[in-house]
Amino acid sequence: MLRSAILMASENRLLRRAMERSRAGRIVTRRFVAGNTLQEAVDAVQTLQTQRMLSSLDNLGESVSNNEEAAAATDAYLESVGAIAHSRLPASVSLKLTQLGLDLSTELCRQNLMRIVRQATPAGIRVEVDMEASPYVERTLDLVEEAHRAGGLVRAVIQAYLHRSEADIHRLNRAEIPVRLCKGAYKEGPGVAIVQKPDVDANFQRLASVLLREGVQAAIASHDEAMIQSALQVVSAHNIPPTQFEFQMLYGIGRHLQQRLAQQGYAVRIYIPYGQAWYPYLMRRMAERPANLLFIARNLLR
Ligand SMILES: Cc1cc2nc3c(=O)[nH]c(=O)nc-3n(C[C@H](O)[C@H](O)[C@H](O)COP(=O)(O)OP(=O)(O)OC[C@H]3O[C@@H](n4cnc5c(N)ncnc54)[C@H](O)[C@@H]3O)c2cc1C
């Protein structure tokens, strides 16, 4: 109930504008967002690097409303790819196709995505294409497949809560496209998604097993100890080398778990959001754990 209300608020454009412009808003994002600038995100990558962790840079933004905004988002990604290559950072980039214009035109989005992939691939930088709400899934997978066929270093994302996800994992495994498996963060109905959390968790464990055994460069994206332990059991039962998979977690969430896994020698990649368009991202983090609202309220009252 509360989760749905928070996710609905995340789509409110007026609230979004007011929050993103407010000083208080900037203060409360600090735990989950590395900063407003690329330099602050690079600093975060370098700090994590000293703790033997990898990163993925997310220049925040989604659902742009015109071609200029889509071009600006593309340029921002080209800049982050340039910074990663220049400083030889252990980082990929993560982007959303609605940020590159998917709502405006698939062709425009394809061109923007390919510009980024063409610059990133020769530098060995992977482009991870986040998965958004269910109406975007098919077009997103099509574009990831196209970029992969063109020789691009890409990664697709699969959400364990969607009924279609098992078939999608097999499709991506067949094409040898690396996949990030997450539970799913959007408001979806029972027609397309599993609604009970224990059932989502069970499906995550099942899909993680398929991905680890049959996929390439599997990425297990969760802060849930039970998901991680179950993945590690599959790894041990099938002698999967640590070079063939990684754990992924969000900046500022599950920090002890991140450090523990890295210290144990597993590859751990931290998804680092930065930039000014942080409101929808923050609201999804609130919806996952409404207790975060207390953290926000305390900071606002300070
Ligand atoms: C690297 C990465 C990339 C992602 N990419 C996508 C994507 O492309 N598309 C998409 O739909 N979703 C994405 N997600 C979000 C994902 O779908 C989940 O909504 C999110 O990870 C919470 O699920 P969980 O697996 O951590 O398990 P949960 O059962 O939700 O949480 C397990 C535990 O983790 C901690 N935790 C989880 N979330 C929070 C939080 N917000 N604040 C504080 N503590 C928390 C709590 O201790 C909680 O008990 C991504 C997640 C990660 C880690």
Side-chain angles (χ1 to χ4, degrees), residues 97 106 110 113-114 117 127-131 136-158 164-179:
L97 292 185
T106 305
R110 173 188 294 114
L113 174 66
M114 288 313 296
V117 170
V127 176
E128 311 203 18
V129 182
D130 290 351
M131 190 54 80
Y136 297 110
V137 173
E138 192 61 29
R139 280 176 291 163
T140 301
L141 294 181
D142 287 349
L143 286 176
V144 173
E145 281 180 339
E146 202 178 316
H148 174 78
R149 275 198 303 273
L153 269 180
V154 287
R155 188 192 302 279
V157 177
I158 292 295
R164 58 175 290 165
S165 286
E166 182 168 4
D168 286 337
I169 288 213
H170 287 303
R171 162 183 171 183
L172 292 160
N173 285 351
R174 272 195 304 276
E176 300 191 354
I177 297 176
V179 171

Side-chain angles (χ1 to χ4, degrees), residues 226-297:
M227 301 303 113
I228 288 162
Q229 287 315 320
S230 140
L232 286 175
Q233 276 166 17
V234 176
V235 164
S236 142
H238 296 270
N239 289 321
I240 299 169
T243 48
Q244 282 184 22
F245 68 95
E246 65 186 45
F247 291 108
Q248 294 194 348
M249 292 186 217
L250 302 176
Y251 182 80
I253 299 181
R255 280 175 287 203
H256 293 303
L257 185 55
Q258 297 172 5
Q259 283 161 5
R260 198 176 77 217
L261 289 167
Q263 280 159 10
Q264 288 171 352
Y266 296 112
V268 179
R269 187 180 302 278
I270 307 304
Y271 182 105
I272 303 182
Y274 72 96
Q276 291 173 1
W278 47 261
Y279 176 75
Y281 178 83
L282 185 76
M283 294 304 271
R284 285 196 293 277
R285 303 295 76 83
M286 297 302 107
E288 282 153 8
R289 193 160 178 266
N292 284 336
L293 286 170
L294 287 176
F295 164 82
I296 299 264

Side-chain angles (χ1 to χ4, degrees), residues 81-209:
V81 164
I84 293 169
H86 177 263
S87 302
R88 297 173 187 270
L89 300 172
S92 61
V93 292
S94 285
L95 53 77
K96 292 185 172 46
L97 292 185
T98 62
Q99 196 177 7
L100 304 187
L102 188 59
D103 284 327
L104 306 170
S105 126
T106 305
E107 184 47 35
L108 171 82
C109 180
R110 173 188 294 114
Q111 286 173 16
N112 288 337
L113 174 66
M114 288 313 296
R115 276 183 71 203
I116 299 167
V117 170
R118 272 197 295 269
Q119 179 160 325
T121 298
I125 299 167
R126 193 176 298 281
V127 176
E128 311 203 18
V129 182
D130 290 351
M131 190 54 80
E132 303 178 69
S134 55
Y136 297 110
V137 173
E138 192 61 29
R139 280 176 291 163
T140 301
L141 294 181
D142 287 349
L143 286 176
V144 173
E145 281 180 339
E146 202 178 316
H148 174 78
R149 275 198 303 273
L153 269 180
V154 287
R155 188 192 302 279
V157 177
I158 292 295
Q159 298 153 321
Y161 64 17
L162 292 186
H163 298 310
R164 58 175 290 165
S165 286
E166 182 168 4
D168 286 337
I169 288 213
H170 287 303
R171 162 183 171 183
L172 292 160
N173 285 351
R174 272 195 304 276
E176 300 191 354
I177 297 176
V179 171
R180 172 201 303 160
L181 177 67
C182 63
K183 289 187 186 174
Y186 294 82
K187 189 170 178 295
E188 303 288 1
V192 292
I194 304 168
V195 275
Q196 298 298 330
K197 184 169 162 35
D199 299 336
V200 176
D201 290 355
N203 204 37
F204 186 104
Q205 291 173 316
R206 225 164 42 80
L207 297 185
S209 172

